[in-house]
Amino acid sequence: MASKKRVPEIPSASLADIAFLMLIFFLIATTMDTDKGIARMLPPIIEDQQDDQIVVKARNVFPVFINFRNEVSVKGPIHLSQLKELTKEFLTNPYNSEELPELVDTEVEYFGVIPITKHAVISLQTDRGTQYQTYLTVQNELQAAINELRNEAARKKFKKSYEDLDEDQQKAIRVIYPQRISEAEPRNIKK
């Protein structure tokens, strides 16, 4: 009679334990990248406002458009390097121009009664095809304009940078140069 050769079995009892240990090792050893967004503080609620909508005059709006070709437009095409200076001019209205935001005499702590562009709003509109990098660059330019104005006011009045001021002094400067950036839903811009 022919003898049947027996094939030895591979012990698989500890295979599940090894797989479990490897899974735990890779979960612990792997780092997960987290998505980061733009750190932006929402504007405070206006307490004395009765309606849900605020009516803003056209001269008080600084329209910034970015088209699908990543070209920036502010009442006409501009180079990105011009955006910061145009934003600063809009927010200060140094010559009391009729085309820039209206100046309102306002009582500001530490400063007294000074003319400020109280209702100025920056309106940012992007195209659906705008590259994210261009959008971030425009956001940085707008924020840089506000930061420079705040630092200039802090150095002029308190001889310190804006970051070195106490909370009350920073609040006074934020009254003069608030950060009002309105972002609309992306759409197709033909400009």
Side-chain angles (χ1 to χ4, degrees):
M1 197 151 137
S3 81
K4 226 178 187 180
K5 255 186 168 177
R6 208 165 168 220
V7 178
E9 283 186 33
I10 298 174
S12 62
S14 63
L15 193 59
D17 293 337
I18 293 171
F20 183 69
L21 287 173
M22 287 179 64
L23 177 66
I24 290 175
F25 170 77
F26 285 115
L27 285 174
I28 292 173
T30 304
T31 58
M32 300 288 194
D33 288 338
T34 56
D35 291 337
K36 295 182 180 176
I38 300 173
R40 181 77 64 210
M41 184 176 288
L42 294 174
I45 296 173
I46 302 172
E47 295 174 10
D48 62 342
Q49 188 66 31
Q50 300 297 330
D51 299 332
D52 287 344
Q53 294 184 356
I54 300 172
V55 178
V56 179
K57 294 179 183 176
R59 73 180 273 191
N60 292 333
V61 178
F62 186 66
V64 179
F65 299 103
I66 311 171
N67 67 14
F68 67 95
R69 291 186 297 268
N70 299 307
E71 298 167 333
V72 181
S73 174
V74 176
K75 298 179 182 177
I78 64 163
H79 191 271
L80 190 58
S81 62
Q82 298 172 291
L83 184 59
K84 183 169 48 171
E85 289 307 315
L86 288 171
T87 304
K88 287 172 67 173
E89 180 183 14
F90 173 80
L91 294 173
T92 57
N93 191 0
Y95 307 111
N96 198 11
S97 170
E98 291 292 323
E99 296 184 13
L100 295 175
E102 56 192 330
L103 294 170
V104 178
D105 287 335
T106 307
E107 176 75 34
V108 180
E109 188 177 5
Y110 301 108
F111 291 86
V113 177
I114 59 171
I116 62 173
T117 56
K118 193 171 185 175
H119 305 290
V121 175
I122 299 168
S123 173
L124 178 58
Q125 175 74 57
T126 60
D127 187 272
R128 292 186 195 282
T130 300
Q131 291 179 351
Y132 194 65
Q133 184 59 44
T134 305
Y135 167 77
L136 287 177
T137 304
V138 168
Q139 277 280 0
N140 287 341
E141 289 297 308
L142 296 173
Q143 189 62 51
I146 294 168
N147 290 344
E148 280 185 20
L149 289 172
R150 288 177 176 176
N151 266 323
E152 289 169 8
R155 292 202 186 282
K156 186 175 179 183
K157 182 68 177 177
F158 304 109
K159 311 288 189 257
K160 297 181 191 177
S161 69
Y162 176 76
E163 291 79 27
D164 294 335
L165 301 178
D166 65 38
E167 182 59 35
D168 290 336
Q169 293 168 333
Q170 285 183 353
K171 185 177 177 182
I173 290 180
R174 283 194 306 266
V175 168
I176 301 170
Y177 300 117
Q179 178 179 312
R180 291 194 191 103
I181 301 175
S182 169
E183 293 186 39
E185 181 86 18
R187 60 183 176 93
N188 294 326
I189 299 173
K190 303 290 184 207
K191 296 179 183 180

